[in-house]
Each structure stands twice: as C-alpha cells, then as structure tokens.
Amino acid sequence: MKNLKLNNGVEIPIFGFGTYEISPSQTKDAVLSAFEDGYRLIDTAQYYRNEKQVGEAVRASHIDRDEVFITTKTMTDGYEATKAGIDESLQRSGLDYFDLILIHWPMGHDLDTWHALEEAYKAGKTRAIGISNFNSRQTIDLINNSDVRPMVDQIETHLLLQQWKMHEFFEKENIVHESYSPLGSGRQNLMSNPILQEIGQKYGKSPYQVILRYLVQNDIVTIPRSTNPAHIKANIDIFDFELNQKELKKLRDLDKREPIDGWPATMREDEDY
Ligand SMILES: NC(=O)c1ccc[n+]([C@@H]2O[C@H](COP(=O)([O-])OP(=O)(O)OC[C@H]3O[C@@H](n4cnc5c(N)ncnc54)[C@H](OP(=O)(O)O)[C@@H]3O)[C@@H](O)[C@H]2O)c1
C-alpha cells in the first residue's frame, strides 16, 4: 500500500474505506472486514453516526493504533460548537486521537470552525486537519487567514467528475486530493461501460477495480464504501497492475464534469480560481 505525505510530514494511506450510509449496527463488521483485507484508512464523520462503532472495530482488530489512520469530520459551524464536537467525537469513538479531522462542508463561519481544528491539532487531538467540499476560493481564504494550512481536501471525484482543475490547484498548494464517492455512490452503471470493460478484461479486473486503480494511480486518496465482504475484498485488490499512458488517457477522456447530485452548489465554482 502506497502512502502520500501530507504537508506536515504525516503519511496517509492512498486507499481506504468509506463508511457513509453504513448503519451503526453494520459498521463494526464492515470495518473489521476491511481491516482483514488490508485497509488501514477508515473514513467516518459525526454526520454518519458511526464513529463509536469505528472505534470499537479499531480496538477489536488488535492492530496497533499507529498502523491505522482514522478520519472524522465535523458538522458544526463556528469555534465553540466545533471545539466541543471534536471532544465528543473522541469520547464517542474511544480513540485517544484522530489522524485527520476535516470540516465536512463549508457552512458560513468556516474560519472560526477552522480555528477550532487548528487548536485540536496543536493540542495533539489529531495528527492532521483538512477540509471537505471546499472550492479553491474557500480554501485560499482559510490559508490566508490562519496558521495551519489544510493538509487534505476531500471532494466528490469519480469517473464522470474527475476534478482536474481542483487537482492542479491542490498540487500547487501542496494539499492532498482525497476522492469521495469514487464509485459514483453506486448510482452509475460502471459495469456496462465498454472502456472500463475492455481495460478490465486485459488485466483480469472488474470495471470497479479499473476506476479505483485509475484514481490511485493519479495520486488521489480513494475511499470506496461497501457492506458486501466480496466487494470490500475486491476493491482493494488493485495494487498488482498498472494502467499504461494510453489507458490513462482513455479514462481521462470519459470525464463529463458531471456531479452525482450537484451538492454543494459552491463546488460548481471550481473553475473560478
Ligand atoms: N465528504 C463528503 O461530503 C462525503 C460525501 C460522500 C461520501 N463521502 C465518503 O466517501 C465514501 C465513499 O463514497 P460513497 O459512500 O458515496 O459511495 P461509493 O464508494 O462511490 O459507492 C458505494 C456504492 O458502490 C457499491 N459498491 C462498492 N464496491 C462495489 C463493487 N466492487 N461492485 C459493485 N458495487 C460496489 C456499494 O454497494 P455494496 O455495499 O453492495 O458493495 C455502494 O452502493 C463514503 O462512504 C464516505 O466515507 C464523503
């Protein structure tokens, strides 16, 4: 498993497991299944209501805490509520620290919210901090008005919305690009895409594995979600083949700049910077 280095030197696994819409009762088993298959990055959020079960899975796995990378996300607006919310997340999960805390989406008082994340970072409550669903203008605003530069921006990124403009912006600003909904949230008919099929056949991989490999090969941290143990296992089985330049180009040409449901509206401004 390859790691990427964040701008504070902390390493993040390039591939992980998403837990959005996994119910609390299913989360522990799904995360344990992911750990067994070699996943080490788990993505949760206050909004998902499953931080507690992610923490339980970390302890039940008996994997050393410093070998797993746990991300959570705040869903509060402003300094006081966010400061309290981070402490509640630590308590709920039973973890001593997170590896990454993200502001889940911009809400209005983002600079104040960011100051609470900075404080948690400086206090050792998290090894890294970042943002999610922030466009380039919102990101620059944080950078210009704070001490700690965001280390990650987690944004919707998949075959039909490849986010190349944002990717270039991230490279310029030394921010890691993390993809959410890499499989289009299960709402795209990836299995019947002829180009994914053709490339997959060559390597003995499914269309799902081809798109996950494509994202990872472009240095995008990728966190597919599944509650099906066979899918969980298959999704991480992408580190034994390499797409060539021609294939990378073919896949890039499939970008339609098409979000799943257009949320949040501010991300449509990704061309503004
Ligand atoms: N920051 C944000 O605002 C934000 C927003 C959305 C998501 N996220 C994060 O990104 C993660 C991933 O995104 P997502 O949950 O929207 O969806 P996703 O990973 O793009 O797609 C999940 C869907 O794909 C199916 N699937 C997974 N592997 C498959 C396979 N090998 N073959 C066939 N079907 C497969 C799953 O069904 P099965 O369970 O049946 O496999 C599920 O329906 C989330 O869980 C969350 O951690 C963040």
Side-chain angles (χ1 to χ4, degrees):
M1 171 77 64
K2 180 178 166 179
N3 291 336
L4 294 183
K5 202 170 260 194
L6 304 179
N7 63 35
N8 65 343
V10 165
E11 299 212 344
I12 182 170
I14 197 151
F15 197 76
F17 186 69
T19 66
Y20 175 49
E21 286 184 330
I22 301 188
S23 68
S25 63
Q26 286 179 301
T27 299
K28 187 175 168 190
D29 283 350
V31 172
L32 280 172
S33 183
F35 281 145
E36 258 173 50
D37 294 328
Y39 292 74
R40 290 296 178 264
L41 186 172
I42 308 296
D43 184 83
T44 179
Q46 292 168 352
Y47 182 67
Y48 303 167
R49 310 268 173 224
N50 56 19
E51 289 172 308
K52 178 173 183 269
Q53 291 75 16
V54 167
E56 284 171 2
V58 169
R59 286 183 291 283
S61 73
H62 300 297
I63 302 171
D64 287 346
R65 174 66 186 88
D66 62 2
E67 283 183 30
V68 296
F69 190 104
I70 309 297
T71 303
T72 197
K73 313 183 199 79
T74 60
M75 60 169 190
T76 43
D77 191 24
Y79 174 79
E80 290 297 341
T82 303
K83 183 180 156 84
I86 289 172
D87 288 341
E88 285 162 20
S89 284
L90 283 168
Q91 204 173 19
R92 233 185 338 260
S93 62
L95 299 173
D96 295 331
Y97 62 91
F98 287 101
D99 295 280
L100 177 63
I101 300 179
L102 306 175
I103 301 180
H104 205 150
W105 61 84
M107 269 188 252
H109 301 92
D110 303 314
L111 205 49
D112 293 335
T113 307
W114 184 248
H115 290 325
L117 266 70
E118 284 183 311
E119 197 176 282
Y121 173 62
K122 288 176 185 168
K125 295 178 185 181
T126 182
R127 296 169 66 228
I129 52 177
I131 49 190
S132 177
N133 296 299
F134 275 58
N135 67 24
S136 54
R137 188 176 37 74
Q138 292 161 329
T139 306
I140 289 291
D141 194 41
L142 281 194
I143 291 172
N144 288 344
N145 292 289
S146 55
D147 292 344
V148 183
R149 169 178 283 265
M151 291 136 203
V152 172
D153 192 0
Q154 185 186 108
I155 59 171
E156 182 183 336
T157 309
H158 44 72
L159 189 66
L160 303 185
L161 178 66
Q162 298 190 16
Q163 302 274 22
W164 286 109
K165 283 221 150 200
M166 284 299 284
H167 191 79
E168 281 168 29
F169 167 75
F170 294 143
E171 280 181 340
K172 199 169 100 224
E173 296 296 335
N174 199 5
I175 293 171
V176 163
H177 179 180
E178 184 169 26
S179 147
Y180 76 66
S181 301
L183 301 173
S185 229
R187 287 193 258 158
Q188 294 165 349
N189 201 354
L190 298 173
M191 273 317 263
S192 61
N193 181 301
I195 295 188
L196 292 179
Q197 277 180 352
E198 177 202 311
I199 297 174
Q201 267 162 22
K202 174 175 162 191
Y203 296 105
K205 298 288 175 182
S206 76
Y208 291 88
Q209 290 168 313
V210 172
I211 178 62
L212 294 172
R213 174 72 207 183
Y214 174 66
L215 295 171
V216 161
Q217 217 173 299
N218 280 298
D219 279 348
I220 299 171
V221 174
T222 301
I223 50 167
R225 175 244 318 175
S226 177
T227 48
N228 177 327
H231 293 168
I232 297 173
K233 198 179 181 66
N235 290 347
I236 198 173
D237 184 19
I238 57 166
F239 292 94
D240 60 351
F241 74 110
E242 191 165 341
L243 301 166
N244 64 33
Q245 289 304 319
K246 220 168 133 191
E247 290 156 350
L248 290 171
K249 165 87 173 59
K250 270 191 187 175
L251 293 169
R252 189 165 171 150
D253 288 346
L254 295 179
D255 186 9
K256 289 193 162 55
R257 308 176 63 79
E258 192 177 284
I260 300 165
D261 58 17
W263 176 88
T266 46
M267 282 308 294
R268 291 175 188 271
E269 295 170 35
D270 72 321
E271 303 199 34
D272 277 352
Y273 68 91

